[in-house]
Amino acid sequence: MVFDKKNFSDRLIHWYEGHKRNLPWRKTKDPYKIWISEVMLQQTTVQAVLPYYRAWLKIFPDIRSLARAPLQRVLKAWQGLGYYGRARNLHATAKMIVENHRGKLPHDPDVLAGLPGFGPYTTAAVLSLAYQKVLPVLEANVRRVMMRLAALHGKADGRHDKAILAELLKTIDRKSPGDFNQALMELGALVCRARNPQCLLCPIQTSCAAYARGEQDVIPAPKSRRSQKVKAVLGIIRKGAKYLIQQRPETGLLAGLWEFPGGKAKRGETLERALARELNEELGVELHDAKFLLKVEHCYTQYRIALHAYACRLKTEPALEPGRQKWVALRDIHKYPIPSGSAKIVHFLENK
Ligand code: SF4
């Protein structure tokens, strides 16, 4: 990879000092808080993370309080942030750190990388920001900036990652590796954006091969974004003032969260038929009748899900699986971690 590295790090960090966004996790050196922010920021925007970060630190101010909490409380605090595996990993790792590392986040990258949720990015980010370890981070913003700097063509799909990491290792600021990493990510977020990069405002413009060749808009090659559309049905089943909810399996999408019974409609299946089949499979009951209530659209990972909720009457009362299926008053459903799509349906029912 070739780009002009003269004063590169100085120019970058100087720009960062003058332009960085005022974010709460940038004002702390507490490894726990940095870790929480880094995990929340994966696949989630800064604006979405801010209220969650503040609320989380009130509920779980340190590693020990997180380790002590029941998983359901952790998932509830995470509700709405998506990619719930992150919350499960935070909880599992907090317990391991308390049990095996006296409650202190380990300094050794090999030890940290062995804990749940610590992939190469999180390990490098937390250690460089909290402990000033010379470890470069590589995530979407950094990848895009580096591809443009060296005019590397192709999609930003990781094909150049080995070369980029090798180059970052040569370039990273040895005295301020945390600031260097944050500066590169911030530049990608604010200036070297995926669309319409602001090259005239860029502190490293004179090092940039893509800018010199006028190729900044075609590097990286645009991604084809296709999310999978899924139609799903949910049965709203009442017994007096209580509603039937059930817990999802411990693995897979939205693991361990609570929701109304139902599931995906099969190809060619009507929604009503899918509802009857799902209720029969999950609860062993026959549907008497169903009245359509509302449709809610929501995105989970690569899925775009249209949830169709029906008020259902059953021919017989279901025999519930203890612990996994419950009758719960509407106002109490909020005590359970539920996916955002189901939360919209609860909101609808509350205001009906
Ligand atoms: Fe990105 Fe433009 Fe700066 Fe190059 S000059 S790094 S393309 S913002």
Side-chain angles (χ1 to χ4, degrees):
M1 277 181 73
V2 182
F3 66 93
D4 178 8
K5 298 185 189 62
K6 195 171 169 209
N7 299 330
F8 181 86
S9 167
D10 290 345
R11 282 181 280 153
L12 185 63
I13 292 177
H14 181 73
W15 170 85
Y16 176 66
E17 292 301 338
H19 294 84
K20 66 182 171 190
R21 287 168 289 177
N22 180 15
L23 300 172
W25 45 86
R26 290 190 171 149
K27 294 178 192 149
T28 180
K29 288 285 173 212
D30 180 340
Y32 168 73
K33 292 177 183 169
I34 290 171
W35 170 41
I36 297 299
S37 70
E38 284 301 331
V39 173
M40 285 187 171
L41 286 164
Q42 290 162 21
Q43 291 132 332
T44 310
T45 63
V46 165
Q47 286 314 314
V49 163
L50 278 168
Y52 280 90
Y53 175 79
R54 294 192 181 107
W56 182 278
L57 291 181
K58 281 194 185 136
I59 306 170
F60 311 117
D62 50 33
I63 272 190
R64 289 185 189 278
S65 55
L66 176 57
R68 272 196 308 270
L71 176 61
Q72 289 293 299
R73 187 150 181 251
V74 175
L75 292 174
K76 184 70 198 166
W78 198 267
Q79 184 180 310
L81 263 185
Y83 296 92
Y84 288 82
R86 294 181 293 172
R88 303 170 83 84
N89 284 338
L90 280 174
H91 188 231
T93 294
K95 283 182 165 178
M96 291 163 92
I97 291 176
V98 168
E99 277 165 29
N100 306 326
H101 303 280
R102 288 178 293 139
K104 298 259 181 303
L105 218 74
H107 284 237
D108 182 339
D110 293 333
V111 174
L112 210 54
L115 297 172
F118 273 96
Y121 167 78
T122 312
T123 302
V126 172
L127 291 182
S128 66
L129 300 181
Y131 299 142
Q132 296 304 312
K133 295 266 180 193
V134 182
L135 294 168
V137 297
L138 178 48
E139 44 73 90
N141 283 320
V142 173
R143 185 179 291 116
R144 182 172 62 255
V145 174
M146 295 300 285
M147 285 180 72
R148 285 174 174 164
L149 276 171
L152 299 174
H153 285 263
K155 290 188 179 162
D157 55 5
R159 68 184 72 182
H160 297 298
D161 280 4
K162 217 170 146 196
I164 291 174
L165 263 177
E167 202 60 24
L168 284 170
L169 264 174
K170 288 186 224 157
T171 318
I172 188 169
D173 192 294
R174 255 78 197 150
K175 286 198 207 109
S176 307
D179 282 351
F180 178 90
N181 282 337
Q182 296 223 71
L184 213 45
M185 289 191 278
E186 193 76 336
L187 188 81
L190 300 183
V191 176
C192 192
R193 304 183 305 218
R195 287 195 201 148
N196 299 324
Q198 306 290 296
C199 300
L200 297 180
L201 305 175
C202 179
I204 51 173
Q205 183 208 84
T206 53
S207 299
C208 182
Y211 178 74
R213 298 178 194 179
E215 293 178 343
Q216 64 271 34
D217 291 321
V218 294
I219 298 175
K223 276 196 240 171
S224 49
R225 285 184 170 268
R226 224 179 266 162
S227 54
Q228 210 177 315
K229 285 190 181 163
V230 174
K231 275 189 197 168
V233 286
L234 291 179
I236 311 299
I237 304 166
R238 274 183 81 161
K239 186 163 86 167
K242 295 192 170 177
Y243 290 77
L244 181 55
I245 60 170
Q246 62 181 18
Q247 192 174 26
R248 292 181 64 86
E250 284 300 306
T251 54
L253 188 69
L254 305 173
L257 269 59
W258 292 78
E259 62 183 8
F260 298 105
K264 277 193 257 177
K266 292 181 179 170
R267 189 185 286 255
E269 193 177 39
T270 64
L271 293 173
E272 288 75 12
R273 193 165 285 181
L275 182 68
R277 176 184 53 72
E278 282 289 339
L279 295 184
N280 183 262
E281 285 173 8
E282 293 186 353
L283 303 169
V285 292
E286 298 291 323
L287 183 61
H288 184 278
D289 57 46
K291 181 175 156 236
F292 176 72
L293 288 177
L294 83 159
K295 176 179 161 187
V296 165
E297 298 221 339
H298 205 77
C299 291
Y300 296 116
T301 62
Q302 75 274 35
Y303 301 103
R304 182 162 187 83
I305 302 182
L307 288 172
H308 300 78
Y310 289 82
C312 297
R313 286 195 305 161
L314 307 177
K315 289 185 180 166
T316 51
E317 187 169 318
L320 303 190
E321 203 180 303
R324 210 186 70 80
Q325 294 170 324
K326 292 182 180 180
W327 295 105
V328 177
L330 201 52
R331 64 175 179 281
D332 291 333
I333 294 181
H334 290 297
K335 294 179 185 161
Y336 294 78
I338 51 177
S340 299
S342 296
K344 289 181 190 168
I345 293 169
V346 173
H347 182 71
F348 169 84
L349 294 171
E350 284 171 333
N351 293 291
K352 212 154 70 90

